[in-house]
């Protein structure tokens, strides 16, 4: 597990960050709905190639190793007494409590960096090149790896003091206050990440295909998104895979398209992808997802509160501390957050798959181009070496999106406008004034 995930787990379950969807049903009202594609072609679900199946199986093995390591490494810090000795050294060097915490954090991240580097290199650089999914040079990979470490340290140094201060001041209710503090923290990070973090790794700019850009802006107007921001990012320096995503909050909200996606999908397929991402905007998934995540954070921190003190009572002599607010407890907090995160992951991912399905529905109702949507998912499956029909283990514990086979099947069948049925998001698409 990377340092970013290790530290932020205290206040937000990064793996569970997802976005919610409303359930209103309504009918279209505009006299000028988008043109329906006249052909009724069925897009077959592609079969996974032997190469894709090998990538799928190996990625599951790596996920299991990372999950097991995420639980084992903090225990090693605790039972070897390394954490207690690091905390003692940090207090001597830092003198003031905050600076001691920062020094401890720097040492913790440095050791975790050395532990995780071999596996991260093996899977994140060597294997993705072996599978033909990466364009990244080793220098670019390692530079980005160090940047990620630096960002992790800066974010943790800025915010880690808060839960520890709450632990000391409110030992019985700290978990409630920490979960409450996680909400503005997540909104703040969502606001800053597109502007200050993402540009550290890649170059973002306007779309090079201006004609397609104008079609996208027209689609955004139909969806009631005025003055929308669409960015193209040069991910081809890193990867051969394709993707697009929504990011940001308030003034930094934007839709980002990888240049690889724009190269490998045709214009109609890109427009459906944009319709899907616009669905996240219109349905307010970012805000709803943060609020949903805060509930999971509250549950995880409650479990931590109920468990940690009993563990400290039993193992305080081995661990070298007897209070949870001691900075030496950080590996214990991380271990318990990882444990409860594992338990809660199926809930978070099920919620994420639901809102991704609703974004697919919105994209179809906006573009009404089922064929382009289906062929787009076929290309996504091929280019990303996806398994269209993953097993239940993968879906429950790893998949934030519905399986490709399910999405293509939905693309083939969802045509309520042809049957005179109301559209679920019709008022959000056509009822807007232009």
């Amino acid at each position: 597990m990377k340092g970013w995930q290790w530290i932020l787990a205290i206040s937000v379950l990064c793996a569970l960050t997802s976005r919610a969807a409303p359930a209103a049903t309504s009918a279209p009202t505009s006299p000028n709905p988008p043109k329906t594609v006249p052909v009724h072609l069925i897009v077959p679900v592609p079969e996974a190639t032997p190469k894709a199946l090998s990538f799928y199986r190996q990625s599951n093995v790596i996920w299991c190793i990372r999950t097991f390591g995420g639980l084992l490494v903090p225990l090693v810090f605790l039972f070897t007494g390394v954490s207690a000795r690091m905390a003692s050294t940090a207090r001597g060097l830092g003198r003031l409590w905050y600076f001691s915490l920062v020094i401890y954090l720097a040492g913790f991240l440095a050791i975790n960096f050395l532990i995780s580097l071999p596996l991260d290199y093996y899977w994140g650089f060597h294997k993705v090149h072996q599978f033909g999914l990466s364009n990244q040079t080793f220098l670019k990979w390692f530079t980005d790896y160090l940047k990620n470490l630096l960002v992790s340290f800066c974010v943790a140094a800025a915010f880690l003091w808060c839960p520890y201060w709450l632990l000391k001041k409110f030992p019985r209710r700290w978990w409630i206050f920490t979960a409450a503090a996680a909400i503005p923290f997540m909104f703040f990070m969502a606001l800053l990440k597109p502007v200050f973090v993402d540009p550290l790794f890649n170059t973002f700019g306007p779309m090079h295909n201006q004609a397609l850009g104008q079609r996208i802006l027209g689609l955004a107007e139909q969806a009631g998104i005025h003055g929308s921001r669409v960015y193209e990012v040069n991910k081809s320096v890193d990867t051969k895979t394709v993707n697009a995503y929504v990011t940001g909050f308030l003034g930094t909200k934007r839709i980002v398209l990888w240049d690889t996606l724009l190269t490998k999908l045709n214009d109609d397929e890109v427009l459906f992808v944009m319709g899907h991402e616009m669905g996240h905007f219109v349905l307010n998934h970012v805000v709803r997802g943060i609020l949903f995540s805060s509930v999971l954070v509250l549950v995880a921190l409650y479990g931590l509160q109920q468990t940690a003190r009993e563990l400290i009572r039993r193992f305080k002599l081995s661990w070298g501390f007897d209070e949870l607010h001691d900075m030496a407890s950080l590996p214990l907090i991380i271990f318990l957050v990882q444990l409860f995160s594992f338990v809660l992951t199926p809930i978070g991912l099920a919620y994420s798959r639901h809102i991704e399905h609703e974004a697919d529905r919105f994209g179809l109702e906006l573009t009404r181009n089922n064929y382009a949507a289906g062929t787009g998912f076929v290309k996504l499956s091929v280019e990303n070496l996806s398994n269209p029909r993953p097993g239940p283990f993968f879906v429950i514990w790893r998949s934030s999106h519905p399986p490709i086979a399910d999405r293509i099947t939905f693309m083939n069948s969802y045509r309520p406008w042809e049957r005179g049925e109301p559209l679920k998001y019709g008022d959000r698409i056509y009822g807007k004034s232009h």
Side-chain angles (χ1 to χ4, degrees), residues 261-336:
L261 180 139
L262 293 169
T263 300
K264 296 176 180 179
L265 271 62
N266 65 40
D267 287 3
D268 286 340
E269 292 162 348
V270 171
L271 286 175
F272 169 76
V273 171
M274 292 303 301
H276 170 100
E277 300 302 335
M278 290 173 189
H280 289 313
F281 267 112
V282 174
L283 304 179
N284 215 19
H285 286 163
V286 172
V287 173
R288 292 173 180 267
I290 289 176
L291 296 177
F292 180 79
S293 296
S294 67
V295 175
L296 297 181
V297 169
L298 180 67
V299 173
L301 293 181
Y302 173 75
L304 192 158
Q305 166 70 7
Q306 296 299 107
T307 309
R309 297 190 186 281
E310 177 60 24
L311 290 174
I312 291 174
R313 186 188 66 80
R314 294 186 61 182
F315 298 108
K316 61 183 178 181
L317 294 180
S318 299
W319 294 351
F321 60 89
D322 56 8
E323 295 289 347
L324 192 56
H325 63 73
D326 190 312
M327 69 182 72
S329 70
L330 181 60
L332 174 62
I333 293 174
I334 290 174
F335 168 78
L336 291 175

Side-chain angles (χ1 to χ4, degrees), residues 69 100 158 196-197 298 344 385 416:
S100 297
F196 295 104
V197 178
L298 180 67
L344 294 171
L385 287 185

